[in-house]
Amino acid sequence: MKFTMRCRDLPRRSPGKTVAVIGAGPAGLAAAGHLACMGHSVEVYDMLPEPGGLLLFGIPSFRIPRENVRVGVKELLEMGVRFHVRTLVYCDGHMPEMEGVNMAERVVDFRDIVKSHDAVLIATGTWRSRHLEVPGAELPGVYLALDYLFRIYAHELGYLPGSAVYPTGRRVAVIGGGLTAIDAALEARMQGATDVYVLYRRTANEAPAGKANIERELVRRGVHFVELVSPIGFVGDSRLRAVRLVRMRLGERDASGRPRPEPVPGSEHELEVDTSLVAIGEEPTPPFSNGCTGIALNGDKTVNVDGRFRTTMRGVFAAGDVVHGPSMIGKAMSTGINVALAIDEYLTSGSWRA
Ligand SMILES: Cc1cc2nc3c(=O)[nH]c(=O)nc-3n(C[C@H](O)[C@H](O)[C@H](O)COP(=O)(O)OP(=O)(O)OC[C@H]3O[C@@H](n4cnc5c(N)ncnc54)[C@H](O)[C@@H]3O)c2cc1C
C-alpha cells in the first residue's frame, strides 16, 4: 500500500519544518508520506505496537493484506519518517476509554507535542465503540465487535496471547449494519461459528454497509442477515444464552433521511446464541477531552476544522475519521494527502489567517 502516491508532483522544501502526526492509520500515514516528500521532518505517534491503524488491527487480512501495509510503512521509514509506537498522546491525566489503549506503554502530553513541533496533525480515528444499553449487556459472551476483532488481529500479529482472544462459540449474533458488523460476522465464521446472524433494525436498503456489500459479503457466504429486529436485552445466568429481540417496522423519515424504525408491540422473541458482537458504531477519539486544550469539538465529538483542515488552535490540523466520523480507507487517505498540502502551505507561508 502506497502512502506517497502524489509525491512526484510536490515541491521540496529546504530546510523543512518539524511535524508531529498523531495516529498511524491511513490518514496519518498518507499525510506523513506526503509531508516527508516535501522535505519536512515527520514524527508519527501511535498507541499501538505497529503503524497501520485499522488497516492492521481492525480489518481482516483477506481484505487488506498486512504485507502491503508493512511495505508502505517501510517506504516511509526509508524516507526518514520516525515512528513512536506504543505511545499514547493525551492531555487529561487519565487513560481514555477506547479500544487498543492498553497496548500503550507511555503517555506523552498533547501540549508538549504542540510546543515541540512547527505543526501537528491529529489523525486518531474512531476507537471508542458505542455500547448497547440494554439489560444483560454486561454478561460474559456479549462483546464489542471492534474489541473482538482487535484482539484476534493483535494476537495474529503477535502482540497479544491467545488467552486474550474472546471465545467465538458456534452461534453468534452480530448487532449492527455497518462495515464493522460485516467484518465481525465474517471473522466469526472464520473462527469456527456455524450459525452467524447479523441483526439490523432497518432493512439492507438502509444499512450503512450498503445492500450490495451485504449480499456479496454476507448472504452469499452463508451469514443470515435479519432485517427489522432490535435487541432489547441479553439473557443468561452466568453467561449469555440468548438475545431478546423485538420486531421493527419502518415509520416516518428521521433527521438522517432514513425511515425511523419503530417496535412492533407484542413481537418480542429470543434468539439462542453463544456470543453476541455489538457493532452499533464507533465514536471519534481525539487525543484530548473537550476543554483540555481549547481545541473545539463538534456535537458528535468529531474535531472541528475549517476547509483547510485547521482546528481552532494555531498550527494544529486534523484529518481522517476523527474529523468526518467512521468512513472508508480511500476517504481517510485522500484527506491525509490534502491535509499534508494544507500543513505545507501553513509552514511555508507562516500565515494562519482565514
Ligand atoms: C471493522 C472495520 C472494518 C472496516 N472495513 C473497511 C473496508 O473494508 N474498506 C474500507 O474502505 N474501509 C473500511 N473500514 C473503515 C476504515 O478502516 C477507516 O475509515 C480508516 O481506517 C480511517 O483511517 P484513519 O487514519 O482516520 O483512522 P484509523 O485507521 O482508525 O487510525 C487511527 C490511529 O490513531 C491511533 N490513535 C488513536 N488515538 C490515539 C492517541 N490518543 N494517541 C496515539 N495514537 C492514537 C490508533 O491507534 C490508530 O492507529 C473499516 C472499519 C472498521 C472498524
Side-chain angles (χ1 to χ4, degrees):
M1 186 169 260
K2 249 194 139 26
F3 301 111
T4 53
M5 300 81 96
R6 289 182 50 195
C7 246
R8 264 181 303 157
D9 311 329
L10 300 177
R12 193 159 175 92
R13 314 296 181 194
S14 182
K17 302 277 176 126
T18 63
V19 185
V21 174
I22 309 170
L29 293 177
H34 290 80
L35 286 161
C37 293
M38 290 185 274
H40 299 299
S41 163
V42 185
E43 311 234 8
V44 182
Y45 297 82
D46 201 288
M47 65 181 177
L48 298 179
E50 184 174 344
L54 287 171
L55 300 178
L56 285 187
F57 291 92
I59 303 178
S61 60
F62 64 80
R63 202 186 308 286
I64 305 286
R66 290 178 187 143
E67 204 36 48
N68 293 3
V69 181
R70 286 178 164 162
V71 167
V73 170
K74 188 162 172 273
E75 187 193 11
L76 299 185
L77 281 164
E78 284 162 3
M79 291 167 71
V81 173
R82 274 175 292 171
F83 287 94
H84 305 267
V85 292
R86 291 193 188 270
T87 305
L88 178 79
V89 178
Y90 212 64
C91 82
D92 246 356
H94 70 274
M95 293 292 259
E97 227 185 86
M98 59 203 274
E99 268 67 75
V101 72
N102 292 335
M103 301 296 253
E105 287 175 348
R106 63 204 137 260
V107 183
V108 176
D109 195 298
F110 177 82
R111 291 160 293 197
D112 292 338
I113 300 251
V114 172
K115 270 189 233 142
S116 55
H117 295 84
D118 297 313
V120 175
L121 169 62
I122 299 167
T124 46
T126 54
W127 278 74
R128 188 177 303 115
S129 300
R130 286 208 184 97
H131 291 242
L132 197 56
E133 289 180 9
V134 297
E138 70 299 333
L139 277 172
V142 181
Y143 307 118
L144 298 169
L146 181 55
D147 189 26
Y148 170 80
L149 293 171
F150 174 79
R151 285 164 182 259
I152 292 172
Y153 304 143
H155 168 60
E156 286 175 1
L157 290 161
Y159 300 118
L160 278 181
S163 56
V165 174
Y166 293 129
T168 299
R170 298 186 76 73
R171 289 170 61 84
V172 178
V174 180
I175 294 158
L179 292 174
T180 310
I182 289 198
D183 282 348
L186 294 178
E187 192 57 56
R189 286 285 291 208
M190 289 168 63
Q191 297 290 318
T194 47
D195 295 295
V196 179
Y197 301 85
V198 174
L199 311 174
Y200 184 52
R201 61 196 183 133
R202 294 184 169 96
T203 76
N205 292 325
E206 292 84 31
K211 191 174 181 178
N213 254 341
I214 287 167
E215 270 163 14
R216 191 180 56 241
E217 301 276 349
L218 295 184
V219 180
R220 279 194 210 160
R221 295 183 192 194
V223 173
H224 311 281
F225 187 78
V226 187
E227 300 179 322
L228 294 169
V229 285
S230 185
I232 50 173
F234 296 102
V235 191
D237 294 325
S238 53
R239 214 198 128 72
L240 178 69
R241 179 184 57 75
V243 49
R244 193 157 169 70
L245 299 165
V246 63
R247 279 193 213 300
M248 309 295 279
R249 62 179 160 229
L250 296 182
E252 296 291 307
R253 293 189 182 275
D254 62 16
S256 72
R258 295 181 300 172
R260 192 190 302 276
E262 294 164 357
V264 178
S267 67
E268 294 79 4
H269 58 288
E270 286 184 5
L271 176 69
E272 298 236 339
V273 289
D274 302 310
T275 310
S276 185
L277 305 173
V278 177
I280 57 169
E282 292 90 30
E283 292 176 354
T285 43
F288 45 79
S289 63
N290 214 350
C292 170
T293 59
I295 294 177
L297 300 180
N298 299 313
D300 61 0
K301 300 186 190 143
T302 52
V303 180
N304 184 300
V305 294
D306 66 10
R308 286 186 271 162
F309 303 95
R310 302 184 307 178
T311 69
T312 50
M313 179 183 274
R314 184 185 171 101
V316 179
F317 296 74
D321 281 8
V322 77
V323 166
H324 43 67
S327 171
M328 305 286 280
I329 300 162
K331 184 165 176 181
M333 288 182 80
S334 80
T335 61
I337 296 170
N338 289 330
V339 76
L341 301 178
I343 292 172
D344 175 67
E345 189 202 352
Y346 163 65
L347 292 175
T348 48
S349 71
S351 166
W352 192 256
R353 279 198 307 271

